[in-house]
Amino acid sequence: MKFLHYVLRNARRSPVRSLLTIGAMSMCLALMMILISFLSVNDAVASSLRTYNRLVVMSSQGFAQPVPFARVNEIAGMKGVKHTTTFAWFGGKYHDEPMPFAQFGVSADSIFSIYDEFTISPDQVKAFADDKMGCVIGRKLAEERNIKIGDPLPLKGDIYPLDLNLTVRGVYDGPGTRDLRMCFFHWDFLNEELKRVSKNSKMTDNAGVVVVKCDSADRMVPLSKEIDNLYLNSATPTRTQTEEAFNQMFAEMFGDLRGMIRTIGLAVVMSLIFVSGNAMAMALRERTTEIAVLKAMGFQRPLVVNLVLTEAILVAFIGGLIGALGTKAFFDVVDLSKHSGGFLPFFFVPWPTAILGLGASLVIGFFSGIFPALAAARLSVINGLRKVV
Amino acid sequence: MGKEHSIELRNVTKTYKRDEFTIPVLTDLDLVVPEGEFLALMGPSGSGKTTLLNLIAGLDNATQGSVIVHGQDLGGMSDGEITRWRSENVGFIFQLYNLIPVLTAFENVELPLLLTNLSKRKRRDNVMTALRAVGLEGREDHYPRQLSGGQEQRVAIARAIVTDPFLLVADEPTGDLDRKSAEEILSLLQQLNKGFNKTIVMVTHDPEAAQRASRLLHLDKGKLVHDEVRNNLEEGVASS
């Protein structure tokens, strides 16, 4: 600690160089944090779903294939099932905006019992249930588009050959890790409209996927097997998995992207090591005589290594603080998802990702400093002093 | 060997290798410096003055022969041991002062004390004592750039004496100073030699500076060619 002021003074010796190094470090780490967060947010959200005991039943051929509506009631009668709902993706345009937010046809009487982390007043739930053309939207969607209860919410069909002229009957809220821009409407209404406009459509009586609320976590695995076994030999076999696994399935679609982001992250770390290492080496080259003087007056090699390393790590750590924690703080305040055109329901930098960035800065500091530090420790006092002594 | 001979060099040879060439710098040199002596080393460039100074200060090893300083054979010590030995026994004064520019005068003088186990308060007392001894009390918060060359060299001397080493080595300590400042520095060195019994070995090209020493050695081509013991210490102090 008694050498700390010496290290701090040295770190501030060339403010422009230190600031540029810190700037490069923080900028690159910030970009890395954003890239990694695209993946880790999904992981964090998926793992947070664990506690809600929800299963998702989809077609064994993929979630885009239909699951007959009859399954909803059949599954509801199975042991350990508390509630079920359809969850049919509508994917309509809002005015002329293509898919500005997610829209699902659901079972109005059970959706908020299944998604019990969402908060909504009982009056609004009842109003929604009582109005077949009603819908409930998320708080963020309501705020951003200034939509109030009672306002119309027209959706133009894009996948479906029909339009839905809905009326907002409620606004739900919930945790930050949930999509608060969704629109839930009556699946019955969608199905009836579909039958009206196209009697032979393959999309009628399609539940989309079935979301199941189980009464306990212990029941989830056996129930999954029971459901899939039940429909194994039917025309529409199912694949049942936990909601967490269902969400992870989307993350797995990024398989190659995930590897590429990791590679980019590694390349960023390596390039930062070179940038910081170069800055540190330049700084020490200018201080060759000083280091020789320190060694002449009795500074041992390990102490010289420690001083140089501490300085390198300090500079990198400041860059890490700004780059990693700064990015986290920024996205905690600024809601990127608001500007993503519906692409991101939410975006934040999870703590593990921020800590990873901070840790990366320490690693960068260590590796950028270790070689100049060892060179300084190995410096011959005679050569360092040259003609001074 | 007793401490009355604080420096003793026996048959010391130092050669450097440059590619395939072996360059002799000091050849078969014998030297005894009693404790409390103020020794000036003179000679043309390349005569081996600085190499001799480096050997005495424990910064370099002799190729042959032994260098015994303060009863310690420096040739048999490891890098760590000799570094620790230097911190306890040698103070360095350089031509270009070599202060750390980002540290104040106080912090520069305190640097060698950071290697000790002294408390912060004790370090402060010692630093202030050293700064007082060189006449820089009140300038402790000044950075090197805020001091004149003579004052910077005083800070360097304070840094050299703050651990109370028995030996001060100075390489052209007045080489970068004007005459007046040089006289002040030389008087200070004489005071440290006389008043605090510091053994001083000083390399200089300046005959006037050499006059302040109690003994004058001339080197040429790696050999001692002239050894003159002088008795002008009091005169030097009186004339400053």
Side-chain angles (χ1 to χ4, degrees):
Chain A
M1 281 302 283
K2 57 187 173 184
F3 291 101
L4 192 61
H5 77 280
Y6 174 69
V7 173
L8 289 172
R9 296 283 178 81
N10 272 331
R12 287 182 352 216
R13 181 183 290 232
S14 177
V16 173
R17 182 164 52 212
S18 294
L19 285 175
L20 288 175
T21 308
I22 289 169
M25 176 81 66
S26 52
M27 189 66 79
C28 289
L29 277 177
L31 292 173
M32 202 171 91
M33 291 297 92
I34 293 170
L35 270 179
I36 293 174
S37 294
F38 276 119
L39 300 176
S40 56
V41 158
N42 199 66
D43 294 341
V45 170
S47 61
S48 73
L49 294 170
R50 230 170 261 168
T51 54
Y52 298 112
N53 299 345
R54 287 192 287 253
L55 293 173
V56 178
V57 183
M58 62 180 219
S59 165
S60 63
Q61 294 169 38
F63 64 86
Q65 297 304 312
V67 173
F69 174 72
R71 304 281 184 263
V72 179
N73 293 329
E74 289 163 6
I75 293 168
M78 295 175 82
K79 185 189 168 196
V81 175
K82 282 175 80 176
H83 305 282
T84 56
T85 179
T86 56
F87 214 75
W89 173 262
F90 182 69
K93 291 179 182 175
Y94 176 65
H95 298 300
D96 287 324
E97 284 181 65
M99 275 198 288
F101 47 85
Q103 307 129 27
F104 296 101
V106 300
S107 307
D109 52 352
S110 63
I111 183 73
F112 291 107
S113 301
I114 293 171
Y115 288 91
D116 48 5
E117 69 269 34
F118 289 150
T119 52
I120 181 170
S121 76
D123 292 348
Q124 290 178 21
V125 174
K126 185 174 184 306
F128 171 47
D130 291 347
D131 181 3
K132 192 161 269 189
M133 293 174 71
C135 68
V136 171
I137 60 173
R139 175 183 56 80
K140 284 188 178 176
L141 179 61
E143 286 173 357
E144 285 160 19
R145 291 170 187 270
N146 197 26
I147 301 172
K148 295 181 179 60
I149 292 172
D151 285 355
L153 192 88
L155 296 176
K156 286 186 183 171
D158 205 1
I159 306 168
Y160 288 84
L162 55 91
D163 298 340
L164 297 176
N165 291 308
L166 306 172
T167 305
V168 177
R169 295 297 176 203
V171 175
Y172 72 86
D173 203 351
T177 54
R178 295 291 176 273
D179 189 353
L180 302 180
R181 291 187 183 84
M182 289 190 287
C183 168
F184 297 128
F185 59 88
H186 290 257
W187 179 89
D188 295 345
F189 178 54
L190 170 68
N191 203 42
E192 283 169 17
E193 287 294 293
L194 196 57
K195 282 177 178 171
R196 187 176 58 80
V197 299
S198 174
K199 286 181 182 170
N200 298 320
S201 172
K202 290 179 182 174
M203 298 169 96
T204 52
D205 294 330
N206 172 22
V209 298
V210 182
V211 181
V212 181
K213 178 87 169 176
C214 299
D215 59 8
S216 78
D218 296 341
R219 255 315 269 159
M220 290 174 73
V221 174
L223 185 60
S224 301
K225 288 178 183 167
E226 285 167 28
I227 293 170
D228 289 346
N229 287 338
L230 184 62
Y231 302 117
L232 187 62
N233 296 315
S234 72
T236 51
T238 56
R239 178 182 167 194
T240 305
Q241 55 196 330
T242 61
E243 191 181 26
E244 180 188 1
F246 182 76
N247 276 270
Q248 288 289 12
M249 188 180 70
F250 288 92
E252 282 163 16
M253 290 177 185
F254 295 122
D256 290 343
L257 186 65
R258 187 180 283 263
M260 198 169 81
I261 286 176
R262 285 206 185 107
T263 309
I264 291 170
L266 199 63
V268 167
V269 168
M270 289 304 292
S271 61
L272 283 176
I273 287 174
F274 295 144
V275 168
S276 306
N278 184 48
M280 203 61 211
M282 281 172 63
L284 288 174
R285 204 173 305 129
E286 290 165 8
R287 277 187 249 155
T288 301
T289 306
E290 277 178 39
I291 290 163
V293 170
L294 293 178
K295 292 180 73 178
M297 67 171 68
F299 280 56
Q300 300 275 1
R301 286 182 182 194
L303 179 56
V304 173
V305 170
N306 282 341
L307 290 175
V308 176
L309 257 187
T310 306
E311 184 181 335
I313 290 172
L314 178 75
V315 169
F317 185 67
I318 293 170
L321 276 178
I322 298 170
L325 296 191
T327 305
K328 172 161 179 57
F330 179 79
F331 285 112
D332 281 351
V333 175
V334 176
D335 188 359
L336 182 69
S337 59
K338 191 171 162 181
H339 310 286
S340 72
F343 173 68
L344 293 170
F346 32 69
F347 183 80
F348 59 94
V349 177
W351 270 113
T353 305
I355 304 266
L356 177 77
L358 208 55
S361 73
L362 294 176
V363 171
I364 290 164
F366 178 82
F367 282 106
S368 67
I370 188 68
F371 296 108
L374 290 175
R378 279 199 297 263
L379 173 76
S380 150
V381 179
I382 305 286
N383 290 340
L385 294 174
R386 292 172 187 268
K387 293 174 184 170
V388 180
V389 163
Chain B
M1 176 183 156
K3 282 193 177 177
E4 65 273 11
H5 286 173
S6 69
I7 301 168
E8 188 172 342
L9 281 74
R10 295 179 196 147
N11 304 318
V12 167
T13 294
K14 178 68 187 178
T15 57
Y16 287 114
K17 289 217 173 208
R18 291 284 181 273
D19 301 321
E20 69 269 32
F21 302 107
T22 302
I23 302 161
V25 185
L26 296 172
T27 310
D28 227 5
L29 189 136
D30 289 300
L31 175 66
V32 170
V33 181
E35 188 166 348
E37 192 163 71
F38 185 172
L39 175 70
L41 292 174
M42 293 193 76
S45 291
S47 60
K49 307 182 298 290
T50 298
T51 301
L52 178 57
L53 195 71
N54 288 341
L55 291 176
I56 291 170
L59 294 176
D60 206 351
N61 290 318
T63 309
Q64 283 177 19
S66 61
V67 179
I68 300 166
V69 184
H70 216 46
Q72 185 76 49
D73 186 351
L74 303 187
M77 299 169 81
S78 68
D79 181 70
E81 287 169 339
I82 207 161
T83 305
R84 191 175 307 110
W85 176 86
R86 281 200 305 267
S87 72
E88 292 165 355
N89 294 287
V90 188
F92 291 88
I93 302 162
F94 307 100
Q95 180 182 352
L96 297 174
Y97 334 126
N98 286 340
L99 300 177
I100 310 292
V102 291
L103 300 181
T104 62
F106 180 94
E107 290 162 341
N108 266 287
V109 177
E110 190 189 27
L111 265 181
L113 292 177
L114 296 179
L115 300 171
T116 67
N117 292 323
L118 294 178
S119 67
K120 193 172 181 182
R121 174 172 290 187
K122 184 65 181 158
R123 290 204 305 269
R124 178 164 190 85
D125 290 346
N126 288 7
V127 170
M128 293 312 294
T129 302
L131 284 171
R132 258 195 304 277
V134 298
L136 280 181
E137 196 179 14
R139 309 301 292 269
E140 59 268 22
D141 293 330
H142 289 226
Y143 286 90
R145 64 176 182 277
Q146 297 167 327
L147 300 170
S148 68
Q151 288 169 331
E152 279 194 77
Q153 193 60 296
R154 283 167 181 270
V155 174
I157 292 172
R159 182 179 66 184
I161 62 173
V162 73
T163 54
D164 195 23
F166 88 93
L167 172 65
L168 295 179
V169 293
D171 187 7
E172 302 203 39
T174 58
D176 205 48
L177 297 175
D178 59 58
R179 176 49 57 192
K180 183 172 176 295
S181 299
E183 290 295 332
E184 289 171 0
I185 294 301
L186 290 166
S187 297
L188 188 55
L189 290 176
Q190 279 187 312
Q191 286 166 19
L192 291 169
N193 172 243
K194 185 70 178 169
F196 297 93
N197 199 36
K198 300 291 179 198
T199 304
I200 299 176
V201 181
M202 174 178 73
V203 166
T204 184
H205 279 112
D206 180 3
E208 286 190 42
Q211 295 299 316
R212 298 294 194 98
S214 56
R215 185 178 171 193
L216 178 59
L217 286 181
H218 275 270
L219 282 99
D220 193 16
K221 295 176 183 170
K223 295 192 172 193
L224 286 176
V225 293
H226 182 73
D227 188 346
E228 177 188 349
V229 177
R230 306 173 61 86
N231 293 309
N232 63 344
L233 191 58
E234 287 75 14
E235 289 172 30
V237 173
S239 66
S240 63

